[in-house]
Amino acid sequence: MSLSTGDRVLVTGAASGLGLALVTQLIGRRCRVLATDVHDDEPTALSVLGDAVTYQRLDVRSDDDWSRALAWVQETWRGIDLVVEPALAEVRDEAIDAAGFVPALLVAAIAAVIVNRALTARTPILLTHSARTVHALTGSHAR
């Protein structure tokens, strides 16, 4: 899948790391980006990107947070082209620490079900924790 000007993308875990790299690359491709993370206030790393990105609090484990973010997407953009979930690697790591072992695919499947409940049919969801995603989506390398 290739993204281009005007595509509407929601990115989880966008305050740092892979999520922030994805947001930066997507903005460079002139996509519309809803950057989300667990922080109540917009993180500085995102605020310096200006009007090219909108920030909302979203904990990927919270149904209420997903509902708010997806309601914003529908009201503001009238739909969405892609949901990118680099935050799942962090959730998986927390679950493994707490339980001793939780299959990563189970965590990814739970998050996908949460998103699919509220999104329109045929919206791609990319569950990733790989920097290769940046290159695959945008044709450029993360820095």
Side-chain angles (χ1 to χ4, degrees):
M1 167 177 209
S2 178
L3 294 170
S4 59
T5 300
D7 283 347
R8 304 156 301 178
V9 184
L10 184 155
V11 179
T12 65
S16 62
L18 178 59
L20 181 58
L22 281 165
V23 168
T24 303
Q25 294 299 321
L26 291 166
I27 289 169
R29 299 288 286 187
R30 295 193 171 105
C31 294
R32 293 179 280 176
V33 179
L34 176 59
T36 67
D37 211 298
V38 296
H39 306 286
D40 289 330
D41 297 320
E42 182 176 25
T44 303
L46 291 170
S47 63
V48 299
L49 297 175
D51 295 336
V53 63
T54 301
Y55 177 76
Q56 260 191 34
R57 181 193 192 287
L58 189 152
D59 182 332
V60 296
R61 299 164 290 193
S62 168
D63 288 342
D64 290 341
D65 284 1
W66 275 113
S67 294
R68 276 190 295 279
L70 296 171
W72 182 92
V73 162
Q74 291 302 326
E75 287 175 23
T76 306
W77 292 342
R78 304 285 184 245
I80 193 165
D81 299 302
L82 179 67
V83 173
V84 185
E85 294 236 59
L88 288 176
E90 194 172 308
V91 171
R92 181 200 62 222
D93 292 345
E94 287 177 16
I96 290 171
D97 288 346
F101 175 76
V102 174
L105 288 177
L106 176 60
V107 174
I110 291 167
V113 168
I114 291 169
V115 175
N116 273 323
R117 281 199 307 231
L119 290 176
T120 57
R122 295 189 172 93
T123 300
I125 299 172
L126 177 60
L127 306 170
T128 184
H129 63 276
S130 169
R132 290 181 183 171
T133 304
V134 175
H135 179 69
L137 288 175
T138 66
S140 45
H141 296 282
R143 296 184 188 260

